[in-house]
Amino acid sequence: MAELDDFLSDSAALFGETQADDDKIQYGPLVLTPAPKEGKANTLLADHLFSPSLLLAELLERGIISFANQRVIELGAGCALPSLLSSTLSGRSPCLSVITDYPDETIMKNLSSNIERNRSHFDSECTVHVCGYEWGCDVAPLLDIAEKHGPKDRAFDIVVMSDLLHFDGSHNVLLKSLLSLLRRHPSARAYVAAGKYTLPHVCEHFVSEAAKAGITLEEQEVEAVWKGVLSVSGGGLDREQLGARKGMSRWWIGRWTDP
C-alpha cells in the first residue's frame, strides 16, 4: 500500500495537483465516475482517471487515431473514457467496443454504471459490451464476441491499453493477452499509453518484450497543448490542466512486425 501511495503522490506532484473531491468527469456528452476508493479498485487504480486516458480521448476526438467500423477491445479500462468516447462519435465509431477490467464486483459495477449512464449517446452502429477479464486468462469468451461482429476470424482489429505499463510485474500476462486478442493482419493496431510517472525503463521493458513477441511499438510525439473542442469539466480540469496532463503522457502505436 505504501508503494501505491507513493505512485499516486508522485503523479499528483508531476501534475501540480491533488485528487479533486468531485470525482465526476464530463467529457462532451459523457458523464463518468471512477470506482469507489476501496478494495481492488484502489489496489488496481480503477478509482482514478489518469492522464493517458485523456490523451487517447483527445486523439480520438481529433481523428488522429480512428476506431471507425473496427472491433475494439480495451484492457484494464477503469472509467473507459477512450472506449466510451469513441462509441459516441457518429460516423467514426467502432462497430464493436468490448470494455474490460478486472472481474471485481466494485470495479465492474462502476464500469457498468458508466456504460448504462451514457448509452443514449452511443452511435447506433456501435455495439458496446462490458466484460470482466483478468490479463493472461482465457480469451475465448472475448473472441466469441468479436467473431459475431466482423470477418470470420476470432480477433480484434484494435486493442487499447491505457496506463497499464506501470504494473511491471504483469507485463508478461498483459502481453499474452495482447498477442491472443489482436487480429493477425497488417491493419491491426494496438494503442498503448502511459503516464510519465511510469519510469522509462519500465516502459522500455514492455516495448522490448513486445518486439521479441512480434509486435513493434512505435512511440508518437505528444504536444502539451490541449486541442480538443468538446467540453471537459470536473476533477479540477480546465484547458491548462488538460494540456499539462496530456504533456505528462506517452503513447505508442503497435502493429505486427510480420503479419
Side-chain angles (χ1 to χ4, degrees):
M1 186 61 70
E3 182 180 353
L4 173 64
D5 291 340
D6 289 345
F7 172 82
L8 296 177
S9 297
D10 288 348
S11 65
L14 283 169
F15 301 145
E17 63 174 334
T18 56
Q19 293 294 319
D21 291 334
D22 179 12
D23 284 334
K24 187 176 292 185
I25 304 293
Q26 293 183 274
Y27 193 120
L30 298 174
V31 178
L32 304 175
T33 57
K37 303 177 188 298
E38 58 187 52
K40 281 287 187 180
N42 190 15
T43 305
L44 298 177
L45 307 181
D47 58 338
H48 290 74
L49 176 64
F50 286 104
S51 302
S53 290
L54 291 166
L55 167 65
L56 291 177
E58 193 236 40
L59 294 171
L60 282 161
E61 180 190 346
R62 294 168 58 206
I64 304 300
I65 58 178
S66 174
F67 294 173
N69 201 35
Q70 303 294 294
R71 295 167 297 170
V72 179
I73 185 166
E74 182 171 1
L75 301 178
C79 297
L81 173 58
S83 291
L84 292 179
L85 182 66
S86 71
S87 301
T88 70
L89 300 177
S90 181
R92 296 191 285 139
S93 71
C95 63
L96 171 68
S97 181
V98 177
I99 303 172
T100 75
D101 210 332
Y102 187 82
D104 168 79
E105 182 179 1
T106 299
I107 293 173
M108 295 308 299
K109 182 178 179 181
N110 182 73
L111 186 53
S112 296
S113 294
N114 278 336
I115 291 170
E116 293 309 316
R117 185 186 308 114
N118 294 288
R119 188 173 291 278
S120 63
H121 302 299
F122 296 164
D123 185 70
S124 61
E125 300 300 315
C126 180
T127 300
V128 178
H129 288 267
V130 59
C131 301
Y133 175 68
E134 183 176 357
W135 309 333
C137 292
D138 183 17
V139 298
L142 303 174
L143 298 180
D144 288 342
I145 299 172
E147 188 177 25
K148 297 174 183 177
H149 288 83
K152 293 183 178 180
D153 57 353
R154 300 174 73 245
F156 289 87
D157 306 297
I158 293 173
V159 177
V160 179
M161 300 189 301
S162 178
D163 210 26
L164 307 183
L165 299 192
H166 56 261
F167 295 107
D168 56 337
S170 297
H171 281 185
N172 59 331
V173 290
L174 188 57
L175 185 56
K176 178 182 177 182
S177 294
L178 173 60
L179 295 169
S180 300
L181 292 165
L182 187 64
R183 185 184 183 200
R184 193 90 186 199
H185 191 274
S187 65
R189 295 291 182 267
Y191 294 107
V192 180
K196 290 184 177 178
Y197 40 79
T198 301
L199 296 176
H201 77 271
V202 174
C203 295
E204 295 313 311
H205 175 264
F206 185 83
V207 171
S208 175
E209 291 302 303
K212 293 175 186 176
I215 291 184
T216 299
L217 288 165
E218 297 180 359
E219 187 164 7
Q220 309 298 302
E221 293 185 2
V222 176
E223 185 181 1
V225 177
W226 189 259
K227 295 186 177 181
V229 297
L230 293 175
S231 174
V232 183
S233 62
L237 295 173
D238 55 26
R239 292 193 71 85
E240 182 179 359
Q241 275 293 319
L242 287 166
R245 295 187 66 170
K246 177 184 171 186
M248 291 307 304
S249 302
R250 305 171 65 186
W251 73 292
W252 297 259
I253 298 177
R255 49 177 63 81
W256 290 106
T257 307
D258 184 18

